[in-house]
Amino acid sequence: MNEFRRTRFSPSAFIRGKALFLAGSTLFIVLLTLVLIVLEASTGGIIFIDLIAVMGVAGYLILQYVRRASFWHQVEEATTNLEQGAHVVDLVDSPSFLEGRLAYEAMLAIVQADNQEITELKSNARENAEYIELWVHEVKTPLSAAK
């Protein structure tokens, strides 16, 4: 049987997921540097502008990571220690970022569908038990009369 391999939310996994953004940002900074060279900006000015751009990209990535880390770590912990009868959405706070809200709402929909199915199964089991009780009663009546 294949063992389930869990993907963990870590800084390195986050950065790998942002590879396209990093490539685009790097290209932008290189193009910005080339434009500044063509405009004959001073070396100090070019370095200063590039540092501001790099700090902006780094700040954006750090902010995005921090916003997502709390939610995904809660999900990871909840799914690792999930007890029978518990639902992940009961153990995780609603996130503030789009992808997390979408995942949270998907989990809610799954829980609601599961709860609906459980309710239907309980109702069917109750109806089946009532039917069997009625059938046993109907069978006992003629047998009692025959004695």
Side-chain angles (χ1 to χ4, degrees):
M1 183 166 99
N2 288 340
E3 188 173 317
F4 177 69
R5 184 168 174 245
R6 185 178 297 271
T7 302
R8 303 181 73 84
F9 187 83
S10 64
S12 61
F14 177 75
I15 294 298
R16 281 191 307 272
K18 294 292 184 180
L20 187 60
F21 172 77
L22 285 170
S25 298
T26 302
L27 180 62
F28 171 76
I29 292 170
V30 168
L31 290 174
L32 179 63
T33 303
L34 292 174
V35 167
L36 290 172
I37 290 171
V38 168
L39 294 176
E40 298 178 359
S42 68
T43 304
I46 293 172
I47 292 172
F48 179 74
I49 297 294
D50 285 348
L51 282 176
I52 289 174
V54 168
M55 287 175 27
V57 169
Y60 171 78
L61 288 173
I62 290 169
L63 180 65
Q64 293 298 309
Y65 177 79
V66 168
R67 288 183 70 202
R68 286 160 174 73
S70 174
F71 172 72
W72 291 117
H73 288 304
Q74 282 183 351
V75 169
E76 182 179 351
E77 183 178 321
T79 56
T80 300
N81 303 320
L82 195 60
E83 297 176 11
Q84 185 175 1
H87 295 291
V88 173
V89 292
D90 297 332
L91 305 172
V92 175
D93 297 329
S94 181
S96 63
F97 59 98
L98 177 63
E99 299 91 346
R101 285 194 309 266
L102 293 171
Y104 188 82
E105 289 168 6
M107 287 188 284
L108 275 174
I110 291 168
V111 166
Q112 289 171 345
D114 284 350
N115 287 341
Q116 179 65 32
E117 186 175 348
I118 289 169
T119 301
E120 290 174 8
L121 289 172
K122 285 181 179 179
S123 175
N124 290 343
R126 197 172 21 258
E127 289 173 7
N128 191 35
E130 290 172 3
Y131 172 77
I132 290 172
E133 288 174 13
L134 181 63
W135 184 84
V136 168
H137 175 72
E138 293 296 325
V139 169
K140 279 185 179 179
T141 304
L143 290 176
S144 295
K147 285 185 178 182

